[in-house]
Amino acid sequence: MKVKKQSTESISAWIAAFKFVPLIIFACMVIVFHMDLLLAAPIATFSAVIVYMIVKRTNFETSFEKCLDSVRHIVLIFFILMFAYAVAECFMATGVGAALINLALELGVTARTVALVAMLVTCLLSIATGSSWGTFAACAPIFLWLNHLVGGNILLTLASVAGGSCYGDNIGMISDVTVLSCGMQDVKIIDRLKHQLFWAFGCLALGMLVVFFAGMSLPNAQGDVAAAIAQIPGEARLALAEERPSALALLEQVEAGVPYYMIIPLIVVIALSFMKLHTMLCLAAGMISSLILGCFAGTTTFSVWLNDLLYTGFSDAGSWVIVMMIWVSAFGGIMNSMNAFEPLSRLVVKLSRNVQQLMGWCGILCLAGNAALADEAAQVATISPIVRDIVERNVDCDEEAAYTLRLRLATFTSAMGIYGSEMIPWHCFPVYFAGIASAVYPLREFSPVEIIGHNYLSFIIVGSILLLTFTGLDRFVPMFGLPNKNRARLIKHK
């Protein structure tokens, strides 16, 4: 009898390990072979289908239906993403981004403050455009050459640009990661924004303070932004045009100057969001207001806005991100259908003594998933259903408390996906940052590791949300606290 029990346990262990094979394939294709997600995700999905067919002893149609169930759940996200990409294109091209940069640069820049101003400008621009990569490509040449002129710390400035460029993915409304993370947890974007507002701004304030003290020993002579932009060599502009054409256009607008009233479309989107209008209506208002004000400013026309900006935004969303998310969501759906991650779930529950700790370990799980998949969107789509299932199965609470827990999970998957990525050397974010920086500032080569070492904002955001969650100190941050033990408690399973 004892031998039979050991044999059964051995078979169960082998089955559990076999279910992990698709995830190992996915991670190897992305990390080892540097395969694009558009190819890696379908291959991993079909490998998961094969594993499901073997484990569940069923046919292909039944197995693939599990993939489709997961994709159906996020269809609304695809529409929001098309609008978000269109808004980002409009804000980048009509002068909203350039107006924000020029307004912030009016503060004056010295060697002591160049990294500080770089962080502030990139945070504002990433919120306005929802594009971390576009923000970095547009601002890196400005601040790297401005840093060169004033004699600042090049790595501190570069890391500040990198950290600030991702801020909109963490707290903005039109980022694909923000939209996806909220959709996977069935929470409204504006509710998520309110939940993390004070925490996110507190992290930014602390990050700027650290950067300020890090540059205190540097010279205090003020630099000329126009002179810095003029110093950008032709080969750097060509490299930027090849990698990010919209970023080059924004850089030229900063050089030429645009009216400050072009900031209004961003204010319109934020204001309507706080009035609890549907996200698509808020984004539509941003597109239309950028058209109207852009026509007055001479930065666009109706024909350009319609045939170029909106068309580019919709086509960019459909050509990669939506297709990628369909496959990644399908992968996550079938992996969860066969309980592939159940061993991880059991471990998380076993390590937790209360709801706070359970949520904290869910955050750790998001960070580990991001390191394994080396892509923030893949982590959000794959890990979101896992952590949601962990919480729903193991926490007894009312509906309001459950919604608050899902808000934290959405924040976790996004923050660990975006800022966790900036702490992982093999992740696409640090690699992209190093590549763009080396191209637009050819005086030296940058490596992902040295950027990570000076990226204080990333360490503050990741470290603070985990610390506040595990310890329960989040209750002292307005609107950020989790439900107390009277409203949410762990279920004791036999």
Side-chain angles (χ1 to χ4, degrees), residues 145-146 148-149 225-234 236-237 255 440 443:
W145 286 99
L146 189 55
H148 177 78
L149 277 182
V225 178
I229 296 177
Q231 280 207 11
I232 299 175
R237 291 177 181 264
E255 193 173 12
V440 300
L443 299 185

Side-chain angles (χ1 to χ4, degrees), residues 137-158:
C139 292
I142 297 174
F143 287 103
L144 289 180
W145 286 99
L146 189 55
N147 181 90
H148 177 78
L149 277 182
V150 298
N153 184 322
I154 189 70
L155 290 178
L156 182 64
T157 299
L158 177 58

